[in-house]
Amino acid sequence: MEEYRTGFRFYPTEEELISFYLHNQLHGLKQDTIHRVIPVLHIFDTEPWNLPQLAGELCREDKEQWFFFAPMQEREARGGRPSRSMATGYWKATGSPSYVYSSDNKVIGVKKSMVFYVGKAPKGRKTQWKLNEYRAIELSPTNPNSSSSNISIPKLKREFTLCRVYVVSGTSRAFDRRPLEAVAVETTIQGGGRAASTGGQGGRCGDVSSSGIVAGDAGSSNRWETASSEEPMWDWDQLNWL
């Protein structure tokens, strides 16, 4: 196995996550190399605190964040809604989906954020575990017999999503440490707006243990654990315009 020097970090931008890693996974390219940092896993069948030990071999010891390719669920392939729940709790969407833009200002994907709750919906207890789910957008050519054959149709790819799982620590994470010029103004899709999310963000894989990370206490004063039953529930079906 190839050896990496001390201090190696997996530090991808959102643009790289979608344009390189997710696109290569969708097309079956560079699998052996990519899966060393982003393995394929049905993450919605596994409690978030068990995910760090299942991360890619080069990122397994990180305590900030972990990346996974999640294949399409069978029920989703049959036209149903994907399941985000398990015996101990469930993932709940928060906010609204946002576009991810390339460095040349082209829409390349959509990002959806979730928070893990312990217990049964809708009265679960909010934890510090969060997840960003990325889907790629690819341009498909129109019907060659069509008069507008020079126009490409954007299509949301569903075979795999790329998920970034992380723990809210109350301090600035490596993924958030980015130059001010890389931060784009974000607006929401809701109400017809668009959300710009640049590739200026980055993450890392370090050399610290993930053990001891547990769900937050219900009585905690931590602002990240304040649950709200009114958080909007978004589904990818609302993006059928793609």
Side-chain angles (χ1 to χ4, degrees):
M1 184 186 350
E2 182 180 358
E3 294 294 332
Y4 286 83
R5 294 177 181 271
T6 300
F8 166 78
R9 296 292 185 272
F10 180 55
Y11 206 94
T13 63
E14 288 190 324
E15 180 179 7
E16 290 166 344
L17 286 175
I18 294 177
S19 295
F20 180 79
Y21 291 98
L22 185 51
H23 275 282
N24 275 301
Q25 176 64 28
L26 288 167
H27 295 287
L29 304 174
K30 306 180 184 295
Q31 303 289 278
D32 292 341
T33 302
I34 288 177
H35 291 170
R36 296 185 67 191
V37 287
I38 309 180
V40 176
L41 182 70
H42 291 275
I43 68 169
F44 296 111
D45 294 337
T46 306
E47 287 81 4
W49 45 85
N50 291 327
L51 291 174
Q53 59 189 325
L54 302 175
E57 61 181 282
L58 298 182
C59 297
R60 203 162 291 157
E61 297 303 316
D62 188 13
K63 74 172 183 179
E64 286 192 334
Q65 59 183 359
W66 307 269
F67 299 87
F68 302 92
F69 291 119
M72 177 189 291
Q73 297 179 4
E74 183 177 347
R75 61 187 295 175
E76 188 178 6
R78 295 197 303 263
R81 298 182 62 176
S83 173
R84 309 293 193 214
S85 61
M86 56 201 75
T88 57
Y90 57 95
W91 289 99
K92 181 179 179 181
T94 178
S96 46
S98 60
Y99 291 123
V100 178
Y101 287 84
S102 65
S103 54
D104 57 355
N105 205 34
K106 294 180 180 178
V107 177
I108 57 174
V110 179
K111 177 174 72 173
K112 182 178 184 180
S113 297
M114 305 180 209
V115 177
F116 190 77
Y117 286 75
V118 172
K120 299 292 184 180
K123 297 183 179 180
R125 173 164 48 89
K126 191 175 184 180
T127 72
Q128 293 179 314
W129 288 92
K130 300 192 74 174
L131 179 151
N132 290 339
E133 184 180 55
Y134 298 92
R135 291 185 188 264
I137 293 177
E138 292 188 346
L139 297 178
S140 301
T142 57
N143 188 327
N145 297 323
S146 170
S147 58
S148 58
S149 58
N150 59 331
I151 300 177
S152 296
I153 301 175
K155 181 181 180 182
L156 196 63
K157 303 296 290 184
R158 299 175 181 272
E159 294 85 351
F160 284 94
T161 62
L162 194 159
C163 298
R164 181 178 76 96
V165 179
Y166 62 99
V167 179
V168 175
S169 63
T171 60
S172 177
R173 298 180 311 280
F175 196 80
D176 296 326
R177 299 177 199 129
R178 48 182 173 157
L180 291 178
E181 60 269 19
V183 179
V185 176
E186 295 190 359
T187 55
T188 62
I189 295 177
Q190 189 174 19
R194 301 194 315 172
S197 180
T198 69
Q201 299 179 348
R204 70 171 184 176
C205 287
D207 52 355
V208 283
S209 171
S210 60
S211 61
I213 300 174
V214 295
D217 183 80
S220 171
S221 60
N222 190 315
R223 64 188 179 93
W224 296 105
E225 296 176 9
T226 304
S228 170
S229 59
E230 300 301 323
E231 290 185 57
M233 296 295 291
W234 284 76
D235 190 81
W236 292 110
D237 293 338
Q238 293 178 269
L239 300 175
N240 278 343
W241 45 267
L242 293 173

